[in-house]
Amino acid sequence: MTDQTKWKRRDDWVGTEVEGQLVMINVDSGRYVSLNASAAEAWRLLEQPLDRNQLVDGMTATFAVDRGTCERSVTDLIDRMRSLDLIDAAA
């Protein structure tokens, strides 16, 4: 994974907001996840393929967080979303 890698949402997830969290289910596996507000915002931003820096830009525009903290959080979030099969590298 490099800073220039563009990430995109996988098409096999659908979801809806429930009590302030985005609850999603994988239509192929039946697996489900619940995303907190920051992860849900990243999910919305990843409707279009974005690299890590573009995602940080979007998150810092939405949340009151300094860029360094956001960069570390976004790196962790990308890793977690990848491990859950929520996102893939864009072709």
Side-chain angles (χ1 to χ4, degrees):
M1 173 176 79
T2 69
D3 285 350
Q4 291 79 33
T5 302
K6 292 214 180 230
W7 301 100
K8 64 179 179 97
R9 301 185 328 190
R10 290 182 46 130
D11 293 333
D12 51 356
W13 288 91
V14 296
T16 190
E17 193 163 324
V18 176
E19 295 183 13
Q21 295 199 6
L22 184 60
V23 178
M24 299 175 38
I25 188 165
N26 183 293
V27 295
D28 293 330
S29 69
R31 198 164 124 205
Y32 68 93
V33 296
S34 178
L35 303 181
N36 65 17
S38 57
E41 179 62 17
W43 177 258
R44 283 188 279 280
L45 290 168
L46 289 167
E47 184 173 352
Q48 301 295 320
L50 299 175
D51 65 30
R52 180 172 114 16
N53 290 324
Q54 291 170 317
L55 190 52
V56 168
D57 290 343
M59 298 295 279
T60 56
T62 303
F63 297 101
V65 61
D66 68 89
R67 187 163 186 91
T69 300
C70 189
E71 286 172 349
R72 289 186 297 278
S73 295
V74 164
T75 297
D76 292 344
L77 181 59
I78 288 171
D79 289 343
R80 181 72 175 137
M81 290 178 121
R82 287 177 64 205
S83 74
L84 293 169
D85 295 322
L86 291 170
I87 61 173
D88 285 324

